[in-house]
Amino acid sequence: MQSGDFHFRFHAANQRERPWAPGNRSPEHRHSFWEIGWIREGEAFWHLAGDKAGQGRRKLRLRQAEAVVVPPQCYHYEEPIAPTSFAWIGFSVPAAELTGIPLGARLRAAPVLADLSSLLNQLDAEEKYRPAFHAERTALLLRELLLLLRRVAQPAPLRSPAESRPATAIEASRDYLQRNIREELTIEQVARYHGFSLSHFEVLFSARFGETPKQFQQQCRLRAVGEMMREGIRSPKLLAAALRFNDAAYFCRWLKKWTGLPPSRYYARLQSSGSTSA
């Protein structure tokens, strides 16, 4: 992944821990960046005044676990109806990256609320502490945010009873792991997304495929490492950032655990074997 790919920029985040009382509406304002706000507890109006001429005016009533995406340069203000706590995040991305996410509409964020709050904390930490690979990490985190928003905006279609069988769901979970291998997904998140408890998911997955979900995930990651190395990305720092590891040292330890080799020797083995698999 090259630096030119990181056109996602994190601007600001806030989570109000103390209740926001009725009568304390915010002043009307606008931002040069996209904003998503969601209610953690309570209820509030989001007044979207549109542009300076008032075009696109809208008033949304957001309750707990509901969210709204506000476009850049859209005048707006928030007005609590009851003691309320909310969170918001500002970010810049190309407009095309928000395809499929309705702007200025109420979104039911309950299915991914825990993931959104966790993501907000991670972005806030990136901004506060600025560790190595800050730009790459925030870009990857913001991509995850957009994936979550699309999941909220486009719920999975209803399935027939035959399609809802555990075997079909397990196969879908394997495809899901493989498609999202460069995302920071835990096995528990994948299990929950497909309607299983973690323990039940691991039993069904192992019985169906002869390996645990974790083993399959790691093998997919190793293949991704091989593909990136063959594309010319051999820096442990860039490989770590692309696969969502905390730092290059942790990535090197992970690679040695699963292959017995450091990055340079692993690449040499790939060259000699002509394969991107472990």
Side-chain angles (χ1 to χ4, degrees):
M1 192 175 288
Q2 299 176 356
S3 59
D5 291 330
F6 299 113
H7 47 251
F8 291 62
R9 183 183 172 198
F10 170 66
H11 284 273
N14 183 43
Q15 295 195 81
R16 286 181 177 264
E17 300 296 338
R18 291 177 296 179
W20 184 29
N24 290 337
R25 54 158 281 189
S26 67
E28 187 173 284
H29 59 285
R30 63 175 177 168
H31 306 294
S32 60
F33 47 81
W34 302 94
E35 176 186 325
I36 174 174
W38 67 94
I39 301 293
R40 300 176 67 201
E41 294 181 12
E43 191 173 356
F45 284 119
W46 243 258
H47 296 263
L48 306 183
D51 57 24
K52 200 165 187 177
Q55 296 296 317
R57 184 176 296 276
R58 195 173 306 173
K59 180 179 179 181
L60 299 176
R61 186 169 187 155
L62 268 60
R63 298 176 175 84
Q64 185 173 354
E66 292 183 333
V68 61
V69 180
V70 181
Q73 307 305 332
C74 175
Y75 286 89
H76 62 284
Y77 64 91
E78 301 87 17
E79 178 185 6
I81 302 171
T84 300
S85 64
F86 75 100
W88 69 274
I89 182 172
F91 55 93
S92 291
V93 298
E97 298 287 351
L98 283 97
T99 301
I101 301 173
L103 309 178
R106 184 169 52 242
L107 298 173
R108 182 66 180 163
V112 295
L113 188 62
D115 292 325
L116 282 171
S117 293
S118 172
L119 180 68
L120 185 74
N121 288 331
Q122 290 180 64
L123 282 165
D124 199 29
E126 290 290 327
E127 179 71 11
K128 183 176 180 181
Y129 300 112
R130 292 189 176 273
F133 335 125
H134 174 71
E136 293 90 338
R137 284 278 298 164
T138 53
L140 290 166
L141 288 169
L142 286 169
R143 279 198 171 98
E144 182 178 347
L145 171 64
L146 297 186
L147 285 172
L148 292 172
L149 290 179
R150 288 192 187 96
R151 195 195 310 171
V152 170
Q154 300 173 358
L158 293 175
R159 298 176 178 176
S160 69
E163 291 175 323
S164 300
R165 289 178 303 180
T168 304
I170 286 296
E171 289 169 2
S173 72
R174 189 173 187 265
D175 292 340
Y176 184 81
L177 271 170
Q178 195 163 17
R179 287 197 312 271
N180 296 283
I181 202 60
R182 298 192 189 189
E183 302 300 328
E184 194 174 12
L185 289 172
T186 66
I187 300 302
E188 185 174 6
Q189 284 175 317
V190 176
R192 189 172 67 243
Y193 182 77
H194 289 87
F196 298 104
S197 68
L198 177 59
S199 58
H200 191 204
F201 177 65
E202 290 176 331
V203 168
L204 291 174
F205 194 99
S206 299
R208 176 69 179 83
F209 300 112
E211 61 183 341
T212 67
K214 188 69 173 178
Q215 289 170 333
F216 177 73
Q217 184 184 49
Q218 301 313 314
Q219 293 299 325
C220 288
R221 283 180 170 171
L222 287 172
R223 283 193 290 273
V225 169
E227 289 164 3
M228 286 187 286
M229 283 183 165
R230 288 189 178 280
E231 291 168 2
I233 303 171
R234 294 166 202 149
S235 162
K237 291 182 179 181
L238 291 177
L239 291 167
L243 288 170
R244 308 297 296 275
F245 288 95
N246 291 331
D247 53 48
Y250 180 65
F251 166 76
C252 292
R253 290 196 301 272
W254 169 84
L255 187 65
K256 191 163 186 179
K257 173 184 176 181
W258 288 90
T259 68
L261 300 171
S264 59
R265 290 183 60 192
Y266 184 61
Y267 175 64
R269 190 173 86 174
L270 291 175
Q271 281 188 309
S272 64
S273 67
S275 170
T276 58
S277 60

